[in-house]
Amino acid sequence: MKVTVILSLALLLSITHAIPTPPIFSCVDNSTITAENDCYHYNITKHSLVFPYVEWWWFEFVDYANDLAIDFAYSVKDPSNKFGEASCSISSMAWNGISNPQTAIFTKQTNFYSATQFQGTSENANVVIANKNFIKLLNDTSYHIVGETTDSEGGYVEWDFIYTQATLVNGMQETMKFDIPIVDIDLFWVSYMPQAQVSGTLDVNSTFYSVNTFGYHDHNYGSWPTKMLDWIWMQINQEDLAIVSGAMPIDWMNHGYTGYSYIRYKGQDQKISDQCGDYFLLTPLNFTTTPDGKKYGTAASLSAYNNVFMLNVTWAMKIETYNPASANLKISVMEQISQYTGSLSVANSISYKDDNGQIKESVEWVIAEKIDGFGFSEWSDKLDSMY
């Protein structure tokens, strides 16, 4: 039966590549995201289907004052061990000296534990891994986050941060939909803190940092068919601006992409997506291939607009590494610190008279914010394939 299911999936996937597919991303989403949306979502009666269940809470920030960047994650996989892959993990990647990528010091660590070492709740994001690593809700907009990772050579990274929402979160969630018979696939993404005020302490191999900067937090969960998809993702924060974009290839022959951009700017929130009737054009500018044959991008540009905002941004990888925790998903994910340049423009309506004296309306785009700084990006490439 297992072989039959896999062969059927391969056939179905080949069909979905050949015919138009329904929208993958949701469009109108007026839901109010609360602390409960960021909770532990596993339900044994719902999620143990064809693919292992994976859930993780992801945090990151760039700290210009300390010239560093870090991301870290709390994860659980196959909690009921239906696929024999039950585990939980804590991971971190820290880059010290990002202003000079050639000499930056990099630390990457992932520690795996038995799934019995994981504790979560269906009420909020309170999570504990191996007793000492935790996410604790202080209130609906603030988390206390403590963790430690180690390596076999005695290296370590320890953190103790307060993350507090600094911008709107309404509607910042995606439900990926795949119209494939016999397979109930559910993929969910919630950006609970598209921009967060981050404060606290970081210790990287006895180098101590006092942190006060802007950061980011999102949350992924579901039964992940990672053999079916790749993704491109980017995120950058400035004082008045938070941007997160994601894209997936829709035509593996000519590298077409479908995707979305969430923009939070001075109290305004907008989602822009080609699947919602907006303009969205992601253009990879450079690819590279690893020695083991994994292909990923090192630069890209994005142009996207609706009737409120126009985003034009280019990013180029400055520092990169393979994320070892992504092996849980049977996919290769390259984590990158990238340099972003571009602009966010706002639509300005103009009334004028035409040659016949009729009043007409037109729109001009006015640059509201220059984009210039470091942010995060990801490119994925499958470790294996059903195709």
Side-chain angles (χ1 to χ4, degrees):
M1 177 60 72
K2 183 176 181 181
V3 173
T4 301
V5 171
I6 292 175
L7 290 176
S8 299
L9 277 173
L11 176 60
L12 289 165
L13 289 174
S14 67
I15 293 173
T16 59
H17 287 185
I19 62 176
T21 58
I24 297 172
F25 304 108
S26 57
C27 287
V28 178
D29 185 355
N30 295 318
S31 61
T32 298
I33 297 176
T34 67
E36 187 174 356
N37 294 95
D38 209 21
C39 74
Y40 177 46
H41 287 270
Y42 182 65
N43 182 328
I44 191 171
T45 63
K46 177 181 179 183
H47 287 120
S48 291
L49 300 172
V50 177
F51 303 98
Y53 181 89
V54 184
E55 183 163 7
W56 70 90
W57 293 258
W58 174 270
F59 300 86
E60 65 186 33
F61 63 75
V62 172
D63 184 349
Y64 291 100
N66 287 310
D67 197 25
L68 66 86
I70 186 171
D71 57 54
F72 49 98
Y74 301 71
S75 308
V76 62
K77 180 179 184 181
D78 191 19
S80 59
N81 203 34
K82 178 176 180 178
F83 297 86
E85 300 180 23
S87 67
C88 64
S89 64
I90 186 84
S91 61
S92 69
M93 287 173 279
W95 296 264
N96 180 16
I98 58 174
S99 62
N100 189 355
Q102 289 74 26
T103 59
I105 300 172
F106 174 62
T107 304
K108 174 173 64 176
Q109 298 165 345
T110 299
N111 299 134
F112 290 94
Y113 301 92
S114 163
T116 59
Q117 296 270 44
F118 176 86
Q119 300 174 45
T121 171
S122 61
E123 298 176 354
N124 51 51
N126 283 349
V127 165
V128 179
I129 292 178
N131 296 320
K132 59 187 176 182
N133 308 292
F134 64 82
I135 306 168
K136 182 180 180 180
L137 182 82
L138 299 179
N139 54 56
D140 282 354
T141 60
S142 294
Y143 292 171
H144 184 199
I145 305 165
V146 172
E148 177 188 27
T149 57
T150 60
D151 60 33
S152 59
E153 298 177 354
Y156 68 92
V157 179
E158 293 181 353
W159 58 89
D160 186 332
F161 297 127
I162 302 295
Y163 264 65
T164 302
Q165 285 177 352
T167 191
L168 294 170
V169 296
N170 286 8
M172 291 199 68
Q173 58 184 340
E174 293 291 350
T175 301
M176 311 287 185
K177 299 178 177 67
F178 293 85
D179 187 20
I180 302 175
I182 78 169
V183 183
D184 182 11
I185 296 171
D186 56 324
L187 306 179
F188 300 91
W189 169 86
V190 177
S191 179
Y192 193 61
M193 297 185 183
Q195 187 181 65
Q197 185 66 49
V198 183
S199 61
T201 58
L202 175 68
D203 177 2
V204 181
N205 299 323
S206 297
T207 300
F208 297 90
Y209 303 93
S210 179
V211 173
N212 187 5
T213 187
F214 288 114
Y216 172 86
H217 158 55
D218 69 16
H219 180 182
N220 294 266
Y221 61 96
S223 299
W224 286 76
T226 48
K227 294 180 181 180
M228 293 169 54
L229 58 90
D230 285 318
W231 70 76
I232 301 169
W233 177 87
M234 58 82 79
Q235 187 276 325
I236 185 171
N237 269 311
Q238 297 185 173
E239 184 172 356
D240 295 318
L241 176 64
I243 300 170
V244 57
S245 294
M248 296 169 58
I250 55 174
D251 183 343
W252 282 257
M253 298 303 293
N254 64 16
H255 301 293
Y257 298 89
T258 183
Y260 62 87
S261 291
Y262 280 106
I263 299 172
R264 299 297 186 259
Y265 178 66
K266 291 187 174 180
Q268 300 181 74
D269 58 309
Q270 290 287 318
K271 176 182 178 179
I272 303 174
S273 175
D274 57 315
Q275 297 197 21
C276 305
D278 304 321
Y279 183 83
F280 183 96
L281 179 62
L282 185 143
T283 306
L285 301 178
N286 189 55
F287 281 97
T288 190
T289 303
T290 63
D292 58 350
K294 303 305 175 187
K295 183 178 180 181
Y296 63 94
T298 57
S301 67
L302 173 62
S303 180
Y305 63 84
N306 60 7
N307 60 351
V308 178
F309 289 139
M310 175 184 286
L311 174 66
N312 289 291
V313 63
T314 298
W315 64 98
M317 178 275 297
K318 297 300 181 183
I319 310 173
E320 64 182 340
T321 186
Y322 164 68
N323 183 345
S326 62
N328 265 340
L329 299 172
K330 293 185 170 62
I331 201 167
S332 175
V333 178
M334 295 302 297
E335 301 290 344
Q336 301 171 333
I337 304 298
S338 291
Q339 177 73 46
Y340 288 82
T341 56
S343 63
L344 178 72
S345 299
V346 297
N348 183 30
S349 288
I350 299 175
S351 299
Y352 68 95
K353 288 184 178 180
D354 64 13
D355 294 340
N356 298 319
Q358 299 294 316
I359 301 296
K360 301 289 185 179
E361 297 286 335
S362 68
V363 174
E364 68 172 4
W365 292 98
V366 179
I367 293 177
E369 188 85 7
K370 292 283 190 180
I371 298 169
D372 185 11
F374 290 107
F376 291 82
S377 57
E378 289 182 348
W379 296 73
S380 73
D381 187 14
K382 293 174 288 296
L383 290 175
D384 49 16
S385 176
M386 288 183 178
Y387 309 137

